[in-house]
Amino acid sequence: MRKEKYITKILIVTILIISLATFESLIKAKSIELFEIFSKKTGKGMGEYINFLMFNYIIDILEPLIISLFLVFTRKKLRMNGLIKFVLSAMVLSKLVFKISKFEIYSLFFYFGILLYILLFYFILKIPNFSEGENEL
């Protein structure tokens, strides 16, 4: 049971990240002001604006989705070692740097997203390395 708490914490944070990205995309899709700014800068219509938002949404949820699916499907068979922790934490750290480089300081989603990615990074680093005798997380 102790081993499952690490997976549960990571899954909760990834669900929160995906939910946050969903709400952000929904609010941006319903905003006429953001569409007008997009239309003035690019000269494109509503279809391209929705495509742009959907592409950004997929980019936002890709890493948490990969991490959660990986941990759910491999938790019984795979031993957690330093290499797996390094790869997962590098994915999260690169996404965190990408999110910070967007620099959307007027959005609450920006700050909550950064906080959730820092939590996810922390929880991945805190997963204990399991020995040869222990096959599950």
Side-chain angles (χ1 to χ4, degrees):
M1 189 66 168
R2 180 182 163 271
K3 299 171 191 174
E4 291 293 324
K5 75 177 184 176
Y6 296 104
I7 298 295
T8 304
K9 287 178 183 179
I10 290 172
L11 290 178
I12 288 171
V13 173
T14 57
I15 288 170
L16 289 173
I17 289 171
I18 291 171
S19 299
L20 187 73
T22 303
F23 289 136
E24 181 180 19
S25 294
L26 180 68
I27 288 173
K28 285 181 178 180
K30 296 194 64 82
S31 174
I32 297 296
E33 293 85 17
L34 289 177
F35 168 67
E36 289 173 355
I37 292 170
F38 176 82
S39 181
K40 284 180 186 175
K41 287 186 176 183
T42 63
K44 307 286 184 179
M46 181 61 89
E48 288 83 7
Y49 178 65
I50 298 297
N51 287 339
F52 174 73
L53 289 177
M54 289 304 295
F55 180 74
N56 282 335
Y57 174 69
I58 291 170
I59 295 293
D60 283 344
I61 68 167
L62 192 62
E63 287 87 1
L65 189 64
I66 290 171
I67 290 170
S68 60
L69 288 175
F70 174 77
L71 290 175
V72 165
F73 289 123
T74 61
R75 73 174 186 254
K76 299 286 184 193
K77 302 282 182 194
L78 192 63
R79 294 178 192 99
M80 185 59 66
N81 58 25
L83 180 63
I84 294 172
K85 285 173 55 174
F86 175 75
V87 169
L88 293 178
S89 60
M91 284 175 61
V92 172
L93 194 60
S94 66
K95 182 62 181 186
L96 181 63
V97 169
F98 176 71
K99 191 136 186 93
I100 290 172
S101 69
K102 281 184 171 181
F103 205 63
E104 298 175 346
I105 60 172
Y106 298 113
S107 172
L108 286 177
F109 294 110
F110 175 73
Y111 297 110
F112 287 136
I114 289 173
L115 177 68
L116 288 173
Y117 275 107
I118 290 171
L119 276 174
L120 184 60
F121 183 71
Y122 174 75
F123 288 147
I124 287 174
L125 289 180
K126 285 299 179 180
I127 296 175
N129 290 335
F130 295 108
S131 65
E132 292 293 323
E134 300 178 83
N135 283 338
E136 61 185 66
L137 289 176

